[in-house]
Amino acid sequence: MSMTPQALLEQMRKALVLQRDGKPARARSIYERILKQDPANSEATNLLALCFLELNYPKRALSLLQRAISLSPDEARYHLNLADCHERLGDLSASLAAVEAGLSQTPGDPDLLRTRAQTLRRVNRLDEAMGAFDAAVRAAPQDTDLLADYGHVLLLAGQHEQAEKVFRFVLQTGSSHRLALLGLADTLNQLDRPDEALELLAGAEGIVPERDAEYQLHLANALWGAGSFEDALAALDIVLALGHRTPDTCLLRGKTLYHLGRFAEARADLEAALAADPGRDDVAMTLGFCCLSQGDLETGWALAERRFDMQAKGVIRRRFQAPTWQGEPLSGKTLMIWDDQGIGDVLRSSSMFKEMRARCQNLIVECHPKLVPLLSRNFPEIEVRVRRHDGAKALLGGGEDFDVQCSMGTLPLYLRRSIDAFPATPGFLVAEGNRTEELRQRPPLNGDKPLVGLSWTSGNRSGLRARSYLTLADLLPLLAVPGAEFVLLDYTDRTAEIAALRAGHDFTLHHWSDLDLFDDMETVGALTSCMDLVISANTSVADMSGALGIPCMRFGTVNTGILLGRDNPPWYPSTRYYRIPPGEPAVSVVPRLVDDFKAWLQAFERQS
């Protein structure tokens, strides 16, 4: 006997109550009876599909949701449920298509706009996601959860300033929004403002409980950014104690241990993070650096190649039609190698140019314009030129005059797979003779006292880098040692710093305003070659001295990438490396530099 409309309505209500009370199997049988009598009932069809979803039968729900949409195409809820069904089946593309179809029927629906934005984020289509979130926020401007999600997409896309504005707006609405607060802390870290992030998190009482694993993870991240590695490690141990062992937790713990110089422990955490998520290029790259620090070069170089697949700062990416060289024979071929990092990295890589030239018919080196004269003169058998094929030119055909290409940072993967592969020669570049002789006519370069070149900082002091540099004032104990002439080799303008220090201290540091130590690398090489010793931070000044074979006392962090598991960098046999102890300021290295400089000076005087 068929049910009356009133009886159908009562049965629908009964089924809804059962479904709400967590009894989908009983509700299912009622919906099926309803649909036998009223097969065009789109709501019963939709609710039956939801029962199957709750019972973990998404394939059976799929056809029902498609039928519900065919019966009522303008019902946004059905499109949302279909999207959810596709997601449970692991098909995010189909999920996104379901949302797009819903928006074509009901443009401007806030829930569909939100789901579209969130799905685009999940498939990592960040540029589209930002536009989608903008539309979703316009449709629901009071939805602080949606705004916080928008902020996180902006953060992932590298739009840090915009992300900060969004997170601050959410927090200023009076909402104690946990995700917005944690997102703002992350953003401040990305903007190299970890102290502000720490202050923000310290004032989070009432918003985030202290034993919240996500809070402790963000706190650890801020502490890491501030260089407080021991404290960061303590926070991460709380995260693990709370059972929050994720790839991000293992990555941050591995990075923290890496900066503490505890490479074996760091490697274990990073390997765990990569095993949990093999697609994480940032984890693979960091693990590669850790392996290199242990001296495992073969593994380290290979993993470090993953840097090109992520948005790592300081890595130059270029696109070519020519294939990437992967170590195969190059007989009869032209190879082009290009710089993917900084000036010092190119100087270091030039130690491999002659070996590469011997492998191929022709070798082309593309690099920064200011390095072209220096490298062209040192390697006349190689074509050294300014970078080409950048930007839009990369996609134009017919302009490449080489068969294969690779980055300079890739060369060690094939040429330096073990420490034994490093030549023991003290230098591999030679300064320009005429320029060197001209400089040697200047006092005190023409005197009898030993010449000591100094560089204590870098033009880039962002993030953690600043912690490994000194000020000139820190070097006053060194400048007070008699018997040598000190010469400024720093490539940035230090005039104001020198003048300010001279107002209260008596010291001599020679420098010449007519010498361009920033762009004129031939002059840099010539002046460096006049030195008997160079004392430098981890900058291109130290790389130049090492490349020329000039004795160098180089200081920096324990996890510098040039040591490769050794006490001193195998790239530069004439360089001695001084590690700044983790957790201590860079100035703590100065007493050791002073003591060893005095010993060097005594030995120099005996030899003279």
Side-chain angles (χ1 to χ4, degrees), residues 11-251:
Q11 287 297 302
M12 285 282 286
R13 288 173 177 167
K14 181 180 178 181
L16 278 169
V17 170
L18 289 169
Q19 202 166 2
R20 183 196 62 194
D21 291 344
K23 301 173 182 176
R26 292 176 60 184
R28 165 192 163 186
S29 61
I30 297 175
Y31 291 133
E32 287 174 335
R33 287 201 302 271
I34 293 171
L35 287 172
K36 282 183 179 179
Q37 180 169 330
D38 185 11
N41 189 322
S42 62
E43 184 62 14
T45 304
N46 171 65
L47 291 171
L48 177 59
L50 293 182
C51 285
F52 281 118
L53 282 178
E54 291 175 56
L55 292 166
N56 202 27
Y57 296 124
K59 289 183 179 179
R60 298 187 68 176
L62 187 63
S63 59
L64 287 167
L65 289 167
Q66 291 168 334
R67 174 166 173 74
I69 289 171
S70 68
L71 293 169
S72 299
D74 59 349
E75 181 56 67
R77 289 182 297 116
Y78 301 169
H79 293 279
L80 286 168
N81 292 337
L82 179 60
D84 179 47
C85 185
H86 280 302
E87 184 175 336
R88 293 194 191 197
L89 289 167
D91 192 343
L92 286 176
S93 296
S95 179
L96 184 60
V99 174
E100 299 284 9
L103 285 169
S104 69
Q105 296 292 328
T106 55
D109 181 83
D111 292 328
L112 284 169
L113 287 170
R114 170 203 282 269
T115 303
R116 177 175 182 267
Q118 291 172 333
T119 306
L120 284 167
R121 173 190 173 180
R122 292 187 62 189
V123 297
N124 207 34
R125 290 160 59 177
L126 295 181
D127 288 342
E128 295 172 79
M130 284 190 289
F133 268 105
D134 184 66
V137 167
R138 292 177 187 277
Q142 304 305 316
D143 189 336
T144 55
D145 290 340
L146 180 61
L147 278 167
D149 285 346
Y150 186 20
H152 280 283
V153 169
L154 290 167
L155 178 58
L156 288 172
Q159 303 291 323
H160 302 136
E161 290 80 5
Q162 289 300 112
E164 180 183 3
K165 291 178 182 178
V166 170
F167 288 133
R168 288 197 184 280
F169 177 80
V170 173
L171 295 173
Q172 288 167 1
T173 60
S175 169
S176 298
H177 203 289
R178 172 180 174 274
L179 290 180
L181 184 139
L182 297 179
L184 179 56
D186 263 356
T187 303
L188 293 169
N189 278 320
Q190 291 294 326
L191 290 168
D192 291 330
R193 292 152 58 188
D195 292 339
E196 292 180 55
L198 288 172
E199 183 180 357
L200 176 73
L201 292 169
E205 295 180 8
I207 300 177
V208 181
E210 185 179 352
R211 299 295 291 179
D212 183 300
E214 286 287 340
Y215 167 79
Q216 289 293 334
L217 184 60
H218 284 73
L219 177 62
N221 195 34
L223 289 165
W224 184 90
S228 300
F229 301 123
E230 291 287 359
D231 291 337
L233 193 60
L236 287 165
D237 287 341
I238 294 175
V239 174
L240 293 175
L242 292 170
H244 192 77
R245 188 176 182 84
T246 67
D248 282 332
T249 306
C250 292
L251 171 60

Side-chain angles (χ1 to χ4, degrees), residues 313-336:
K313 292 180 180 179
V315 177
I316 299 170
R317 296 168 187 80
R318 296 172 63 184
R319 292 187 292 172
F320 303 94
Q321 290 187 331
T324 300
W325 179 59
Q326 296 180 323
E328 70 274 12
L330 291 167
S331 178
K333 292 188 176 182
T334 296
L335 169 68
M336 191 276 285

Side-chain angles (χ1 to χ4, degrees), residues 316-322 334-339 364-367 383 385-406:
I316 299 170
R317 296 168 187 80
R318 296 172 63 184
R319 292 187 292 172
F320 303 94
Q321 290 187 331
T334 296
L335 169 68
M336 191 276 285
I337 53 179
W338 47 277
D339 58 333
I364 300 169
V365 169
E366 290 193 355
C367 59
E383 180 183 353
R385 67 194 189 194
V386 177
R387 300 167 183 155
R388 298 180 185 176
H389 310 289
D390 284 334
K393 293 180 182 178
L395 301 179
L396 298 177
E400 296 181 350
D401 54 352
F402 44 87
D403 302 302
V404 287
Q405 51 74 32
C406 80

Side-chain angles (χ1 to χ4, degrees), residues 264-337:
E265 297 170 79
R267 182 169 182 170
D269 273 316
L270 294 168
E271 286 176 337
L274 191 60
D277 191 351
R280 287 285 295 270
D281 297 310
D282 54 342
V283 177
M285 181 189 73
T286 309
L287 176 57
F289 294 157
C290 186
C291 292
L292 291 174
S293 294
Q294 286 186 296
D296 182 358
L297 306 192
E298 192 167 345
T299 303
W301 295 131
L303 286 169
E305 286 295 287
R306 297 273 291 271
R307 68 191 182 279
F308 291 115
D309 299 319
M310 58 173 287
Q311 299 301 312
K313 292 180 180 179
V315 177
I316 299 170
R317 296 168 187 80
R318 296 172 63 184
R319 292 187 292 172
F320 303 94
Q321 290 187 331
T324 300
W325 179 59
Q326 296 180 323
E328 70 274 12
L330 291 167
S331 178
K333 292 188 176 182
T334 296
L335 169 68
M336 191 276 285
I337 53 179

Side-chain angles (χ1 to χ4, degrees), residues 331-467:
S331 178
K333 292 188 176 182
T334 296
L335 169 68
M336 191 276 285
I337 53 179
W338 47 277
D339 58 333
D340 55 318
Q341 297 181 62
I343 298 299
D345 301 286
V346 177
L347 293 173
R348 187 163 59 252
S349 295
S350 68
S351 64
M352 298 177 282
F353 287 177
K354 287 186 178 179
E355 293 171 67
M356 288 310 305
R357 177 64 186 88
R359 290 185 175 219
C360 55
Q361 180 172 330
N362 297 296
L363 179 63
I364 300 169
V365 169
E366 290 193 355
C367 59
H368 192 283
K370 66 185 180 181
L371 283 167
V372 171
L374 174 73
L375 297 179
S376 295
R377 182 181 50 74
N378 271 274
F379 303 101
E381 72 280 16
I382 297 172
E383 180 183 353
V384 182
R385 67 194 189 194
V386 177
R387 300 167 183 155
R388 298 180 185 176
H389 310 289
D390 284 334
K393 293 180 182 178
L395 301 179
L396 298 177
E400 296 181 350
D401 54 352
F402 44 87
D403 302 302
V404 287
Q405 51 74 32
C406 80
S407 74
M408 293 184 194
T410 300
L411 296 180
L413 176 60
Y414 305 108
L415 300 184
R416 300 290 183 264
R417 298 172 74 87
S418 69
I419 293 297
D420 293 339
F422 287 83
T425 51
F428 43 86
L429 295 182
V430 177
E432 204 280 315
N434 291 333
R435 187 61 172 139
T436 302
E437 287 305 313
E438 289 175 7
L439 291 174
R440 287 190 184 278
Q441 304 307 311
R442 302 185 180 205
L445 304 183
N446 59 356
D448 297 326
K449 287 184 178 182
L451 302 170
V452 181
L454 292 183
S455 176
W456 55 89
T457 189
S458 167
N460 180 3
R461 296 177 61 91
S462 61
L464 293 173
R465 293 173 62 95
R467 297 177 60 84

